[in-house]
Amino acid sequence: MTMDMTFLGTGSAYPSPHRGATALVLRTDRDCWLFDCGEGTQTQLMKSQLRAGRITKVFISHLHGDHLFGLPGLLCTVSLNTNPDPQQNLNCVEIYGPRGLRHFLRVTLGLTGSQLLFPYVVHELEPTADQSPEEGQLRQEVTADHGPLHPQEQPGRTISLDVSSDSYLLFEDKKFVVKAFRLFHRIPSFGFCIQEQDRPGRLKTEVLKELGPSEHSSKALHILVDTLACGEPTACLKPGPLYGRLKAGESVTLENGRVVEPAEVLEETINGRKVCILGDCSSVLGEGPLSLCRGADVLVHEATLGNKHKEKAVDHGHSTPEMAAAVARACCVRRLVLYHFSQRYKPSSLHKEGDEDDISELKRQAEEALQDSGVEVTLAEDFLSLPIPLRR
């Protein structure tokens, strides 16, 4: 399964001619998952190779406008480009974010008379009191669910912190486990850990050839061996039931009584990839983030200001490259991607000699803090697409 991430916006505070507001898409074979949706995200999507209509899940890290203002408009635009055929079974868009997101969408869509052609559901994360200063805590009366659901809204879950793991389990299926963890910011903020499930290794075709076929082998094994010898199943015969049973970890008994164990014919298990995306923060909270992000293939972390502006960054609930590097080192990640830059930092292609703020300096600061760690540092730019290869 292919996997890549595309940055649609890498700037903080507001969209500019040089950087869009925060948004990125994690794409797999069938789905696009959107992480944050600042103002102008739908325009950035139109400029990219991505299709907004393929977005099946949205994750909002916190309720600041540069991460949220684009969501109502994006949903409406997707609806306008949706086939209105009543016989079409439209997928429900699942949205995850802090308490208050449900009310925000309900009021925004309701006051503007926006009618969507597809259903949506909002699952809210219940923040803890230590995720922001007291003045950043939203009052219950502001975030409570007032009034009826929007006509296209389905009831969502309220997800509380699992104290034992110091994380929030958002969902788990055969392909992924997705959890959230707590960050400290001016208002409650969250990070997300996307863990791909491990998969069984490939079948060893040479070993299977040695096991058969023989006159005592079952017809299914003949088909299985012939299929594997051809390469991909779709290029020859469809795999038989033995193929699936062996891949699922089950032993197979041939007609001659020979028992074939999965360990005999399977290569080593393919470890799932891990991607961690952090919202705005000046620190992570508890052990959950470090545990979840350990060994990640990619850690996406904000670096709003350079190291010399650390005091200002922390005062506003943000991080510097050195602070992001400290998290990457503690988690032993493979790659650190910096994003959410102050609009003072222009993209490298627009930097001119003599400009005071050089974006490449942010990368240098992170690399210096990660010396001898083996962590690769990448500066995100709008429309940068990063492939996330399989682990071998």
Side-chain angles (χ1 to χ4, degrees):
M1 177 172 64
T2 60
M3 181 187 293
D4 59 51
M5 61 167 52
T6 299
F7 291 83
L8 297 174
T10 56
S12 66
Y14 54 86
S16 76
H18 313 302
R19 293 189 187 278
T22 307
L24 70 92
V25 168
L26 181 67
R27 182 173 57 170
T28 60
D29 287 346
R30 295 184 179 179
D31 295 310
C32 289
W33 296 352
L34 176 65
F35 291 81
D36 284 330
C37 190
E39 180 184 351
T41 294
Q42 59 177 306
T43 304
Q44 297 289 88
L45 272 165
M46 294 173 190
K47 294 178 181 178
S48 75
Q49 300 299 312
L50 304 171
R51 292 175 53 194
R54 285 190 61 193
I55 294 173
T56 56
K57 298 184 190 298
V58 179
F59 301 84
I60 302 297
S61 63
H62 63 294
L63 300 183
H64 275 153
D66 59 332
H67 295 253
L68 178 62
F69 283 161
L71 183 56
L74 175 64
L75 294 176
C76 291
T77 298
V78 171
S79 179
L80 287 171
N81 289 282
T82 299
N83 185 350
D85 183 358
Q87 302 301 318
Q88 187 179 7
N89 186 20
L90 298 174
N91 292 326
C92 179
V93 175
E94 295 195 85
I95 304 171
Y96 299 83
R99 187 186 72 225
L101 180 57
R102 191 178 294 146
H103 182 53
F104 169 80
L105 276 179
R106 195 175 295 169
V107 170
T108 306
L109 296 175
L111 287 177
T112 56
S114 301
Q115 298 295 315
L116 306 179
L117 292 178
F118 55 84
Y120 78 91
V121 59
V122 180
H123 305 296
E124 290 191 335
L125 283 64
E126 191 66 41
T128 59
D130 54 353
Q131 283 185 250
S132 71
E134 186 176 352
E135 60 269 22
Q137 298 290 328
L138 294 176
R139 301 188 309 275
Q140 288 281 356
E141 59 268 26
V142 173
T143 60
D145 293 341
H146 297 295
L149 274 65
H150 184 272
Q152 280 73 46
E153 181 184 0
Q154 296 181 357
R157 295 179 292 134
T158 297
I159 308 170
S160 298
L161 178 70
D162 177 4
V163 178
S164 63
S165 64
D166 194 20
S167 65
Y168 301 75
L169 176 60
L170 304 189
F171 70 91
E172 180 174 5
D173 58 24
K174 293 181 179 179
K175 292 185 178 180
F176 295 98
V177 179
V178 180
K179 294 184 178 182
F181 49 87
R182 299 175 300 148
L183 305 172
F184 185 86
H185 186 49
R186 285 183 293 133
I187 63 174
S189 183
F190 295 90
F192 303 98
C193 174
I194 302 93
Q195 173 69 67
E196 185 183 27
Q197 301 278 22
D198 292 345
R199 288 181 291 170
R202 296 185 180 187
L203 284 157
K204 300 176 181 177
T205 57
E206 293 303 317
V207 174
L208 283 163
K209 287 179 184 178
E210 293 174 6
L211 291 174
S214 72
E215 60 181 1
H216 301 294
S217 300
S218 69
K219 183 178 179 181
L221 185 57
H222 278 278
I223 295 174
L224 173 60
V225 174
D226 291 341
T227 299
L228 293 169
C230 296
E232 290 296 327
T234 54
C236 190
L237 299 175
K238 294 183 179 180
L242 294 184
Y243 179 96
R245 288 174 58 188
L246 288 167
K247 290 283 283 186
E250 298 180 28
S251 59
V252 170
T253 303
L254 306 182
E255 289 180 357
N256 64 359
R258 170 77 159 89
V259 177
V260 181
E261 299 291 344
E264 298 178 67
V265 296
L266 288 177
E267 295 179 358
E268 290 187 11
T269 298
I270 301 174
N271 293 325
R273 291 160 286 189
K274 183 189 291 188
V275 176
C276 297
I277 301 168
L278 279 66
D280 291 4
C281 65
S282 56
S283 65
V284 298
L285 288 179
E287 295 299 319
L290 299 182
S291 175
L292 285 175
C293 297
R294 191 168 307 281
D297 295 84
V298 179
L299 176 76
V300 181
H301 197 297
E302 68 129 294
T304 305
L305 293 167
N307 290 345
K308 66 180 180 180
H309 301 296
K310 180 177 180 179
E311 185 176 350
K312 180 179 179 181
V314 174
D315 284 347
H316 289 81
H318 291 296
S319 296
T320 64
E322 186 177 48
M323 295 165 67
V327 176
R329 180 182 285 275
C331 296
C332 303
V333 305
R334 299 186 177 194
R335 177 185 291 212
L336 169 65
V337 182
L338 302 178
Y339 82 137
H340 195 269
F341 306 117
S342 167
Q343 297 291 357
R344 70 170 69 196
Y345 300 104
K346 296 179 181 178
S348 300
S349 59
L350 298 177
H351 181 74
K352 299 177 182 177
E353 188 176 351
D355 286 352
E356 182 178 352
D357 298 302
D358 184 357
I359 188 69
S360 64
E361 178 65 13
L362 302 187
K363 181 180 181 183
R364 188 196 66 78
Q365 291 171 3
E367 289 176 334
E368 187 175 276
L370 286 166
Q371 273 187 333
D372 304 320
S373 67
V375 180
E376 182 179 353
V377 178
T378 300
L379 287 178
E381 299 287 359
D382 289 13
F383 308 113
L384 170 69
S385 185
L386 292 176
I388 306 170
L390 284 169
R391 292 188 175 189
R392 295 298 185 190

